[in-house]
Amino acid sequence: MKREFAVIGLGRFGGSICEELSLEGMNVLAIDSSEQKINEFKNIASHAVIADATDESVLKDLGINNIDHVIVAIGENIQASILTTVILTDLGIKKITVKAQNDYHEKILKRIGADHVVHPERDMGRRLAHSLISSNILDYLELSEDHSMVEVKAGKNLVGKTLIELDIRANYGCNVVAIRRGKQMNVSPSAEDKLREDDVLVVIGADKDIYKFEKNLVI
């Protein structure tokens, strides 16, 4: 059974979510107050509707109560973002994800019922900064304020060694949860397999521990 999603706000962030969910075969209700935006997505989303998401009666008429997960991707209108989130919470939506403009906005969203708050611009900036600092860091995902997951290209200090020899968890406090070798992803890597050049390690842990691991081994 397909999951039901609604995306409110079809800017760059909301539009990309709507497109990706649709490509994955999900049922997506796209909502925006702009006729131009709705015209752009009417052939992408399952349903695309011009509507004011701050009007509770309108959302009810659209059947928002039947949606599994609503993503509020309203742009710079913080008031509309907050009001929409309040309405969705009152309507008992199972899961609500909201785009925040700043940390204060995030605090308010969490207090009024948002299940998950994202900062796409800030997070992208952090990912770029990590890739600029180290040529071995291929990707970066913030899990919390002080924990992250990174994809690390095996450097010369890793090649030819096994996970047992490196003992990354004991020495650095972080964990290798997967190894990507070419197109294959090994989610349960053998501790005895020797790492090869161009292997990519998926490492999870506290930021301070990952930094120590990068500084000492990933060169």
Side-chain angles (χ1 to χ4, degrees), residues 16 25 30 66-67 91 105 154 168 187-188 194 197:
S16 64
N66 301 317
I67 301 295
L91 290 175
H105 186 195
I168 295 170
V187 181
S188 300
K194 290 187 178 181
E197 187 176 359

Side-chain angles (χ1 to χ4, degrees), residues 176-179 185-189:
V176 176
V177 295
I179 296 176
M185 176 70 81
N186 186 355
V187 181
S188 300

